[in-house]
Amino acid sequence: MLIGDRKQQSYEPRIVAFLCNWCAYAGADLAGTQRLSYPPNVRVIRLMCSGRVDPGFIIEAFLEGADGVIVAGCHPGECHYEHGNRLAERRMTTLQHLLGFIGIEQARVRLAWVSAAEGRKFAQLIETTVEEVRALGPFQQFPRRAP
Amino acid sequence: MKTSMGSGSTRIPLRQQVEELCEQSIGTCYQCGNCSSGCPMGPWMDALPNQLIRRLQLGLEDTTRFASPWVCASCFACGVRCPKGIDVPRVMEALRVVGLRSGEDHIGPHTIEKKRLSQLPQIALVAHMRKATG
Amino acid sequence: MNNRVGVFICHCGKNIARTVDVEALRKEAAGLPGVEWAEDDMYLCSDPGQQLIRERIAEQNLDAVVVAACSPTLHTTTFRRAVESAGVNPFRLEIANIREQCSWVHPGTAETTHKAAALVRSGVEKARRTQPLEPIHVGLQRAVVVIGGGVAGIQAALDIAEAGYPVHLVEQGPNLGGRMAQLSETFPTLDCSSCILTPKMVEVSHHPLVTIHTLAEVTDVEGSIGNFQVRIRQQPRYVIAEGCTGCGDCVPACPQVVPGEFDRGLGARKAIYIPFPQAVPFTYTLDREHCLNQGPLIICDRCAQACEPRAIDFDQQPSEELVEAGAIVLATGCDTLPLSHFREYGHDRHPDVIDGLMFERLLSASGPTHGEIRRPSDHRVPKSIAFVQCAGSRDPERGKAYCSQICCMYTAKHALLYHHAVPDGKVYIFYIDIRAGGKGYEEFVERVRAEDGINYIRGKVAKLIPKDGKLEVWGVDTLLGEQVKVEVDLVVLATALVPSQGIQELARVARVAIDGDGFLSEAHPKLRPVESQTRGIYLAGTAQGPRDISATVAHAAGAASKVLGLFSHDELVEEPTIARVNEALCRGCSFCVSVCPYDAISLHEGTAHVNETLCRGCGACTPACFAAALGPRGFEDDQILAQIRALAC
Amino acid sequence: MTSLAYYPGCSLKRFASGCEIAGLEAARRLGIELVELERWNCCGTVFSMSSGERMHHLGSLRNLVRVQEAGYPEVVTMCAMCQNTLRQVNNEVRGDGDSLAMMNRFMDEEPAYRGEVEVLHYLTLLDRLGSEAIAARVERPLTGLRVAPYYGCTLVRPPSAGIDDPEDPNIMERLLEALGAKVVRDPMRVECCGAYMGVSKPGTINVRASAIHGSARNSGAEALATMCPLCAHNLDAVGPAPDEPALVVFYFTQLVALALGAKPEQCLAATQRVDPRPLLSTKGLLEEPQP
Ligand SMILES: Cc1cc2nc3c(=O)[nH]c(=O)nc-3n(C[C@H](O)[C@H](O)[C@H](O)COP(=O)(O)OP(=O)(O)OC[C@H]3O[C@@H](n4cnc5c(N)ncnc54)[C@H](O)[C@@H]3O)c2cc1C
Ligand SMILES: Cc1cc2nc3c(=O)[nH]c(=O)nc-3n(C[C@H](O)[C@H](O)[C@H](O)COP(=O)(O)OP(=O)(O)OC[C@H]3O[C@@H](n4cnc5c(N)ncnc54)[C@H](O)[C@@H]3O)c2cc1C
Ligand code: SF4
Ligand code: SF4
Ligand code: SF4
Ligand code: SF4
Ligand code: SF4
Ligand code: SF4
Ligand code: SF4
Ligand code: SF4
């Protein structure tokens, strides 16, 4: 069995992470270079800037089977594109309010600032997110699309 | 002079006590001395305002033993000129309050001559009493 | 959608293969929709590895490639070159990061291989949706506008012109030189300022590739890197530059006496004047504001009568010129906080309280006192001077929070020069800390400290009191813990360095950012200190922050080298991964316009338009568009959504 | 006639009565009615600056409540210290709703203070009228009288309670010029006279007074003008060291009343130690104004 049938396994949360190219993605690479270990539940999509993340992507991820989503970019004031991360922050805050409104736990969506030097922070971010999302159980608020 | 910076006491440290009373952040002082340069009562002080602040930065508990806060006329000149925005007169007031709370007496009514007492304007007396009693 | 994707999986020796089951991964990949070929190799980045990819592209007629290996930051260029040489568009390469973000951070379990498979799947889904992209080629105007004619502007202009490119040097004042022209001698070497600056000014003015615009300002900047259109507004000089021989015959004829700006009011000039004898260009200037002839009415023409070459023209009008340039250098320099700022020091009411630049003029051989130090009130030689450092600097409450960096040094210089001129004079330097961080600087200050008669007193001055023709200085010696009161003949304030006036307006026009203190913002404080945040616009000298002459010159040379780097290409080749508008979908709502950090989007006839040289492909505009009408190439919505689908399950 | 609430404070009723009598006379002549509050108490004199001693502000607050209840939006003070203390307390409770609520609870016998009263110094009031309006009412211009305004501390510091720039105030200068006086800008005009330190350290006051008188004299002044009873006491009643000459010390209000045509005996205070009459007489300022 290569691609696990989730029903047969004990529940392993699936996290999709959107990382900006310059800070968070480089931070994730650094975690690798430093051989830090963190749970394999996270899958990364590299974007140039956290400002590229459309709130629709996050909904889509939940519809497709994710149990949690991380958006990570450069620290405030250090955005490679001046203020893309501020845009991301604004959009994510709005989205989180919206999700809260329809009863989705806010802990399933996490916005974080990770610099290219923060490999350890990235690994910890994954660890805590996986734990929190695991505690919340599988995401069931939306009907999943058939795989 | 040997200066010990540790605090063996279990009371609230003096610096913290003063910072709470005066609502000023003692740590931002960079010891430029501007407060002391212009202090009208400087000649009568046993430690200049910047020195008191320095002692507080180091947490020296004996800072309350200096007479300077009782010599301070609350003229506000130092506070107006502090480049770091520290309201030094408030620090002085806080030191007075700490002293008063530990039971010091700075009124000394007997030291004032009767004759002068009648000549002083009301505000001088009231102000003095207020400063000396908290 | 393309369906001839090749997947290449790297073992990286054992780095990947130790934890990821490469064979299982290959099988999995081979079965994915759209995948024509899947293969693994020991070291893909090696020459044989690249050769393998090239061969398979040819054999299998692949049109997109996924490399599952290390992080894309490592070998994107390598693999792009490899696929390109085999005929696949380099933007049709995707890299699945199964080393840094998988094999190195997870144990050798099925879940790790499972994750690697998901990453490959995601790469394939994206690769299938990629389009061939071509780099954007933009023409390059190889000319530069340098704004500000101080030492920074002069240096940048010379470096660029020497490399063979035309420069327009725009100076708002009547002559070049800036602050440095006003200085006497310069720390730490005590070179005479005009002696080292004048040859540079002459050189720049004679350079065949440099066009000097004095009394000129930049009023508008259009375009972007490689192709700016710069509007230069020329104020009238009322003296025809080609006619004026610099004889100076006009000056004695003029009845109007005006305080001279160059001498900071310590000396006088006429309404027709040249600021200083070494001025470049050596053309006189008629200051219409102080001339008797206001407006068109000519009631005095004595200078014109005296001028034999007939160089005076009262009818000159402002003019404008539009210059094409590939790059712009901002070198607008600095000013100092005005004396009127210092109310506790009597602000500008006591004539014998002066600032450092005024003292420079008193020291200067060509200054109002011919280099003799005489105080303004009664022209006597001061027998004692107090220098007050950090006047307005390091004072977040009432001045500037920053350290002005140069005043510790020039105060030491002033004290030294004064002491040499008046050996029995007394000097008191009131300071908080001495900052002498440059090469040879501490040694210089030490030399000054060691001089007899120079007292360094640690404590800030609270107040100055004029008293019997002297000034009483209220200070403190914080090291002794005693108040200090001294009476002196002259007080020199080391006033804070501030950006030049008009910088805000220029920054707005040129669309560059300024910081909270009004200095121009660099792109990165450490790694890109001479670039502004707007591409193609560079910063030089004190316009970016306080610094001395040597640092200014180094900064300006850095800006020039950035310009030359830009000009070393035949044309600008821009990454094609920028935003593109689908005009059929755009509703012209302009939501995207306000979001773009680079002002790259504008509306033309109701449709958004992306400027290709300004856009950097961040993609921030895409989520703002409710019509799904624009997106950055290489990171389009459909690609990302496909990746999400591949990863989430 | 404009009518405004007026808070005198204790010193003006006793020690500094000369200041008040002249001030009220000047106001009358300018068409301003200053209505003394029916009940008032001590302003507290000094503003307690420590977070633990806020209860000391109750006295000031009570006075502000009385202004509020009398229906006046503003209250005028003449004493510099009163205006300073009232202003600082007012600023504090306005900036801090919790503290206002707490103080209101303590003053349970009074209506709650809403934080809307403005505290106004007499000088600010005159300045509002404007130099020109005042100049127009001058009947006895103070021509030739060289006066150095002396602000001291509480009129200008801290800035939040000051009536003008803390380092370089000009309000008295402006008004004195309107009255026709020759204004002397003395650099010591915002330096402390020693304040209440005279009570416990009498010697300090002579030193301070010497410095202030000396500086004003050097700047060419014949008289000082002040708005604070404590300053007046220190500079006049105590004054410089006995062997040093002392200038005449006026309450500013006395000069205003005199210039507006009040009779000299109305505006010169019996308490002035240095008799101002010889000086005024050399300037012809004791004579009846020419109509
Ligand atoms: C009192 C004093 C003493 C000093 N002594 C020394 C010393 O001994 N040694 C040392 O190394 N450094 C010294 N310095 C520092 C030195 O003067 C500066 O580092 C140097 O002059 C900065 O050069 P600049 O070209 O950046 O700016 P500037 O010299 O200020 O030149 C800027 C030029 O740009 C022009 N300009 C401004 N705005 C515009 C505009 N909008 N359009 C067109 N033109 C514009 C200005 O007119 C000016 O000519 C001293 C500085 C001061 C104030
Ligand atoms: C403790 C400390 C903390 C610092 N913190 C900061 C900070 O917070 N912020 C900051 O801005 N700066 C900081 N700096 C300063 C900063 O490190 C330096 O400014 C910077 O690294 C200098 O770079 P460099 O390339 O000039 O020299 P280096 O970094 O020294 O590089 C020189 C290189 O040349 C090589 N080399 C030497 N000789 C030869 C030779 N003969 N042939 C071939 N190669 C040779 C050396 O091996 C070295 O790799 C700090 C410095 C120190 C010591
Ligand atoms: S003026 Fe302010 S910063 Fe300077 S020594 Fe005094 S308290 Fe410290
Ligand atoms: S308030 Fe006190 S310490 Fe400050 S200047 Fe005045 S007298 Fe000195
Ligand atoms: S391509 Fe990357 S993963 Fe493969 S051998 Fe080279 S470095 Fe290692
Ligand atoms: S007289 Fe004419 S030529 Fe001579 S300096 Fe004046 S303007 Fe120039
Ligand atoms: S026209 Fe007259 S006033 Fe004007 S510059 Fe010439 S000589 Fe001077
Ligand atoms: S260089 Fe020296 S004088 Fe200038 S601001 Fe910095 S510390 Fe103060
Ligand atoms: S947001 Fe979309 S629809 Fe609106 S102007 Fe921009 S591209 Fe057009
Ligand atoms: S991709 Fe970024 S830089 Fe390009 S137009 Fe959109 S927001 Fe601007």
Side-chain angles (χ1 to χ4, degrees):
Chain A
M1 179 199 69
L2 192 68
I3 297 182
D5 180 346
R6 302 182 71 204
K7 278 177 225 114
Q8 291 168 13
Q9 290 180 346
S10 64
Y11 162 63
E12 274 298 327
R14 188 70 75 230
I15 315 281
V16 174
F18 298 94
L19 306 185
C20 91
N21 181 59
W22 307 99
C23 299
Y25 193 87
D29 274 356
L30 182 63
T33 318
Q34 294 177 321
R35 308 296 200 280
L36 305 173
S37 93
Y38 56 83
N41 310 46
V42 63
R43 281 103 174 81
V44 168
I45 295 180
R46 180 177 69 100
L47 300 170
M48 294 314 277
C49 177
S50 55
R52 172 69 182 92
V53 179
D54 195 316
F57 294 168
I58 291 156
I59 308 289
E60 182 74 11
F62 284 126
L63 282 170
E64 293 294 339
D67 305 300
V69 173
I70 292 171
V71 176
C74 311
H75 285 270
E78 287 167 17
C79 178
H80 189 79
Y81 303 102
E82 298 195 10
H83 54 246
N85 51 359
R86 294 265 181 227
L87 283 170
E89 187 175 26
R90 244 188 286 157
R91 288 173 184 151
M92 297 304 294
T93 317
T94 318
L95 178 78
Q96 275 184 325
H97 285 308
L98 222 85
L99 292 179
F101 188 68
I102 57 172
I104 295 173
E105 304 88 346
Q106 302 214 341
R108 291 197 189 269
V109 181
R110 174 167 298 203
L111 178 69
W113 310 133
V114 176
S115 83
E118 293 176 330
R120 197 163 295 276
K121 182 173 178 189
F122 180 80
Q124 276 160 3
L125 172 72
I126 302 307
E127 223 152 274
T128 50
T129 310
V130 169
E131 282 325 305
E132 282 174 29
V133 175
R134 192 193 303 282
L136 290 174
F139 180 86
Q140 280 160 336
Q141 280 92 335
F142 295 168
R144 298 300 174 97
R145 287 187 193 139
Chain B
M1 181 187 66
K2 197 159 155 277
T3 301
S4 158
M5 296 183 198
S7 157
S9 127
T10 50
R11 287 190 305 110
I12 306 174
L14 180 65
R15 173 168 169 179
Q16 190 188 333
Q17 216 179 335
V18 167
E19 285 194 330
E20 276 166 17
L21 283 169
C22 67
E23 297 167 311
Q24 304 294 307
S25 163
I26 301 287
T28 58
C29 165
Y30 64 166
Q31 287 294 310
C32 69
N34 205 356
C35 47
S36 302
S37 296
C39 174
M41 304 313 286
W44 295 278
M45 286 181 173
D46 50 0
L48 292 174
N50 79 290
Q51 293 179 297
L52 291 180
I53 297 212
R54 181 70 191 134
R55 301 186 74 86
L56 289 173
Q57 284 180 331
L58 296 174
L60 302 183
E61 296 284 332
D62 65 358
T63 309
T64 48
R65 283 202 223 119
F66 287 82
S68 297
W70 306 98
V71 177
C72 162
S74 290
C75 76
F76 299 105
C78 48
V80 163
R81 292 179 184 142
C82 173
K84 293 311 206 68
I86 299 174
D87 206 338
V88 186
R90 277 184 187 262
V91 181
M92 292 294 187
E93 180 104 328
L95 281 168
R96 283 189 291 266
V97 171
V98 173
L100 289 168
R101 287 185 182 173
S102 65
E104 288 174 36
D105 173 17
H106 289 271
I107 308 182
H110 50 280
T111 60
I112 309 171
E113 299 162 48
K114 278 247 166 54
K115 184 167 147 275
R116 277 207 316 121
L117 214 51
S118 61
Q119 289 167 347
L120 285 166
Q122 286 67 21
I123 42 178
L125 277 172
V126 180
H128 173 71
M129 295 304 166
R130 284 287 310 282
K131 288 287 170 190
T133 57
Chain C
M1 208 187 297
N2 298 77
N3 288 307
R4 301 194 67 82
V5 180
V7 178
F8 299 88
I9 302 161
C10 188
H11 293 234
C12 197
K14 284 223 155 304
N15 277 292
I16 291 170
R18 189 179 292 123
T19 46
V20 172
D21 181 346
V22 174
E23 178 51 22
L25 189 58
R26 192 196 59 76
K27 277 204 199 117
E28 167 81 14
L32 291 173
V35 173
E36 194 60 31
W37 187 259
E39 188 167 350
D40 56 289
D41 188 63
M42 193 57 82
Y43 295 108
L44 273 178
C45 62
S46 67
D47 282 340
Q50 294 182 49
Q51 183 58 27
L52 170 87
I53 296 173
R54 280 194 291 267
E55 279 167 16
R56 291 298 176 268
I57 289 173
E59 271 169 35
Q60 302 297 325
N61 197 19
L62 303 176
D63 46 24
V65 167
V66 173
V67 171
C70 51
S71 170
T73 47
L74 244 55
H75 285 315
T76 299
T77 323
T78 317
F79 292 124
R80 271 190 184 166
R81 263 196 221 119
V83 301
E84 191 173 21
S85 65
V88 169
N89 183 282
F91 294 93
R92 307 219 49 205
L93 165 82
E94 274 303 311
I95 293 183
N97 184 348
I98 60 167
R99 192 181 76 174
E100 280 81 349
Q101 297 188 10
C102 190
S103 74
W104 276 355
V105 285
H106 306 316
T109 61
E111 186 67 14
T112 302
T113 303
H114 184 178
K115 173 173 172 179
L119 293 174
V120 169
R121 207 159 55 228
S122 156
V124 169
E125 286 302 316
K126 186 167 181 196
R128 292 171 75 195
R129 288 166 177 80
T130 50
Q131 302 291 331
L133 299 178
E134 294 306 328
I136 299 161
H137 298 262
V138 187
L140 184 60
Q141 193 69 45
R142 278 199 200 65
V144 186
V145 172
V146 176
I147 306 173
V151 64
I154 294 172
Q155 181 69 40
L158 275 177
D159 283 359
I160 295 163
E162 276 300 292
Y165 304 105
V167 177
H168 292 269
L169 181 55
V170 182
E171 164 61 47
Q172 66 183 4
N175 59 277
L176 302 180
R179 300 273 90 98
M180 192 176 163
Q182 293 175 290
L183 306 182
S184 53
E185 294 170 19
T186 55
F187 63 76
T189 44
L190 299 181
D191 315 90
C192 144
S193 189
S194 10
C195 313
I196 54 179
L197 182 64
T198 309
K200 268 196 184 298
M201 294 201 290
V202 172
E203 195 185 343
V204 80
S205 69
H206 289 160
H207 202 289
L209 286 174
V210 180
T211 313
I212 292 175
H213 307 252
T214 45
L215 290 169
E217 275 167 355
V218 165
T219 54
D220 191 28
V221 175
E222 293 283 334
S224 50
I225 183 168
N227 297 280
F228 290 107
Q229 294 86 46
V230 181
R231 192 173 295 279
I232 300 171
R233 186 179 166 86
Q234 175 72 56
Q235 299 298 341
R237 188 184 277 271
Y238 303 110
V239 175
I240 301 159
E242 298 74 28
C244 175
T245 61
C247 65
D249 290 347
C250 48
V251 174
C254 176
Q256 285 294 83
V257 181
V258 187
E261 301 84 353
F262 189 77
D263 288 330
R264 291 188 78 85
L266 291 176
R269 61 162 172 88
K270 293 293 187 64
I272 188 159
Y273 70 108
I274 194 146
F276 58 105
Q278 305 92 334
V280 169
F282 199 62
T283 304
Y284 280 60
T285 303
L286 192 155
D287 161 14
R288 202 62 184 265
E289 203 187 312
H290 292 101
C291 166
L292 291 172
N293 299 323
Q294 298 291 327
L297 192 66
I298 305 297
I299 55 170
C300 170
D301 66 349
R302 286 176 229 180
C303 53
Q305 295 296 336
C307 176
E308 250 170 66
R310 296 277 165 261
I312 291 164
D313 176 5
F314 293 107
D315 295 329
Q316 272 187 357
Q317 297 297 325
S319 61
E320 277 194 351
E321 190 180 340
L322 200 62
V323 168
E324 298 270 340
I328 297 174
V329 177
L330 300 180
T332 50
C334 59
D335 231 312
T336 56
L337 267 188
L339 287 173
S340 58
H341 181 87
F342 302 94
R343 304 182 84 90
E344 72 278 29
Y345 297 154
H347 51 101
D348 36 12
R349 218 172 264 152
H350 312 324
D352 294 330
V353 178
I354 63 173
D355 65 20
L357 269 178
M358 292 164 99
F359 198 67
E360 293 283 345
R361 295 314 297 146
L362 292 180
L363 289 168
S364 168
S366 59
T369 56
H370 309 291
E372 275 194 61
I373 302 164
R374 294 182 173 279
R375 64 178 200 167
S377 62
D378 55 10
H379 303 287
R380 279 195 304 116
V381 175
K383 287 292 176 199
S384 52
I385 302 189
F387 292 94
V388 177
Q389 292 195 181
C390 296
S393 304
R394 306 176 66 196
D395 185 344
E397 278 299 303
R398 292 179 305 164
K400 304 292 173 187
Y402 53 83
C403 165
S404 293
Q405 297 205 24
I406 55 166
C407 17
C408 277
M409 287 306 296
Y410 75 60
T411 299
K413 171 185 80 175
H414 288 169
L416 191 78
L417 294 176
Y418 167 71
H419 196 233
H420 289 176
V422 187
D424 60 339
K426 274 266 169 229
V427 178
Y428 305 90
I429 300 180
F430 291 91
Y431 73 102
I432 309 177
D433 301 293
I434 295 295
R435 292 172 176 186
K439 187 170 178 169
Y441 288 14
E442 177 63 16
E443 295 90 322
F444 181 79
V445 173
E446 275 314 301
R447 203 178 122 199
V448 176
R449 275 180 183 274
E451 293 260 331
D452 292 344
I454 296 178
N455 301 304
Y456 268 92
I457 301 173
R458 195 194 174 284
K460 191 159 167 142
V461 169
K463 185 147 174 152
L464 302 174
I465 303 273
K467 212 177 213 178
D468 307 328
K470 292 193 159 229
L471 288 152
E472 185 177 69
V473 181
W474 292 4
V476 64
D477 188 324
T478 57
L479 302 177
L480 285 180
E482 283 171 21
Q483 287 183 326
V484 174
K485 280 202 172 111
V486 288
E487 286 185 12
V488 295
D489 292 329
L490 183 68
V491 173
V492 183
L493 305 182
T495 47
L497 223 63
V498 294
S500 60
Q501 279 189 346
I503 189 76
Q504 308 241 351
E505 175 58 15
L506 183 63
R508 193 188 59 77
V509 164
R511 283 170 293 157
V512 296
I514 51 178
D515 64 26
D517 293 311
F519 290 106
L520 297 169
S521 289
E522 65 285 351
H524 188 281
K526 304 226 170 291
L527 302 178
R528 294 165 71 200
V530 299
E531 290 158 81
S532 76
Q533 280 160 354
T534 304
R535 292 171 70 211
I537 302 191
Y538 305 93
L539 315 175
T542 47
Q544 184 262 347
R547 47 168 59 79
D548 58 28
I549 296 167
S550 66
T552 294
V553 170
H555 202 238
S561 84
K562 285 286 164 192
V563 171
L564 299 179
L566 175 70
F567 286 3
S568 69
H569 304 284
D570 293 336
E571 54 183 6
L572 284 177
V573 183
E574 302 281 331
E575 280 274 304
T577 48
I578 57 164
R580 173 187 51 178
V581 179
N582 182 335
E583 289 172 11
L585 292 179
C586 173
R587 298 173 307 192
C589 66
S590 86
F591 289 160
C592 53
V593 175
S594 54
V595 161
C596 175
Y598 302 102
D599 291 334
I601 314 179
S602 50
L603 282 191
H604 291 302
E605 293 167 2
T607 305
H609 171 85
V610 176
N611 179 321
E612 294 189 333
T613 40
L614 289 179
C615 172
R616 302 229 214 140
C618 68
C621 52
T622 313
C625 178
F626 291 111
L630 88 167
R633 290 175 220 200
F635 295 89
E636 314 259 8
D637 277 352
D638 68 322
Q639 299 171 341
I640 297 168
L641 290 171
Q643 284 185 285
I644 294 171
R645 279 192 289 277
L647 289 178
C649 57
Chain D
M1 185 179 261
T2 342
S3 116
L4 289 149
Y6 167 57
Y7 172 86
C10 45
S11 291
L12 263 62
K13 290 297 175 193
R14 302 280 308 259
F15 173 82
S17 53
C19 178
E20 179 178 48
I21 293 164
L24 293 176
E25 174 62 19
R28 200 185 57 73
R29 283 171 179 268
L30 287 168
I32 304 166
E33 191 192 9
L34 293 180
V35 187
E36 185 172 325
L37 291 172
E38 271 180 35
R39 283 176 62 207
W40 53 265
N41 53 261
C42 173
C43 67
T45 306
V46 287
F47 176 74
S48 283
M49 293 178 287
S50 102
S51 62
E53 313 286 318
R54 297 244 154 88
M55 285 306 128
H56 285 312
H57 302 162
L58 284 176
S60 293
L61 219 53
R62 272 205 186 90
N63 289 312
L64 296 175
V65 170
R66 298 206 171 113
V67 180
Q68 170 187 297
E69 294 310 302
Y72 289 100
E74 294 175 319
V75 59
V76 178
T77 69
M78 280 185 220
C79 168
M81 286 186 81
C82 295
Q83 100 83 48
N84 190 285
T85 311
L86 292 175
R87 271 270 288 288
Q88 290 208 63
V89 169
N90 205 22
N91 288 345
E92 179 151 298
V93 296
R94 280 173 171 190
D96 179 356
D98 292 346
S99 134
L100 178 57
M102 182 185 71
M103 306 279 271
N104 275 331
R105 271 200 303 282
F106 268 91
M107 297 190 299
D108 45 4
E109 77 284 15
E110 307 274 354
Y113 178 52
R114 292 190 299 271
E116 288 158 6
V117 170
E118 294 289 343
V119 181
L120 199 64
H121 191 265
Y122 190 77
L123 284 172
T124 313
L125 176 68
L126 294 189
D127 202 47
R128 260 197 216 166
L129 289 180
S131 299
E132 277 165 34
I134 289 177
R137 302 281 189 117
V138 169
E139 293 180 12
R140 190 193 279 127
L142 306 179
T143 319
L145 188 66
R146 299 197 303 274
V147 191
Y150 175 77
Y151 290 85
C153 315
T154 47
L155 269 184
V156 290
R157 289 189 300 264
S160 57
I163 63 170
D164 203 347
D165 186 278
E167 298 286 3
D168 185 31
N170 271 305
I171 184 166
M172 279 205 251
E173 282 80 350
R174 271 199 298 277
L175 292 168
L176 277 173
E177 266 158 15
L179 301 178
K182 175 87 191 68
V183 172
V184 175
R185 274 197 172 77
D186 172 43
M188 291 289 285
R189 66 198 198 280
V190 294
E191 298 303 326
C192 177
C193 65
Y196 59 87
M197 285 318 297
V199 179
S200 55
K201 280 192 174 298
T204 58
I205 303 301
N206 297 119
V207 179
R208 298 302 302 162
S210 286
I212 292 160
H213 277 267
S215 172
R217 219 177 38 241
N218 272 341
S219 313
E222 299 162 313
L224 291 161
T226 170
M227 268 318 290
C228 171
L230 194 46
C231 300
H233 173 263
N234 287 347
L235 295 178
D236 180 54
V238 179
D243 53 335
E244 284 176 46
L247 302 178
V248 176
V249 180
F250 288 107
Y251 285 111
F252 187 83
T253 50
Q254 296 178 299
L255 293 173
V256 185
L258 195 67
L260 293 179
K263 291 198 185 323
E265 41 303 1
Q266 256 178 312
C267 41
L268 300 181
T271 48
Q272 262 159 296
R273 183 176 72 99
V274 179
D275 187 354
R277 276 167 302 191
L279 171 66
L280 293 176
S281 126
T282 63
K283 309 282 171 185
L285 292 172
L286 292 177
E287 289 150 34
E288 276 304 299
Q290 304 298 313

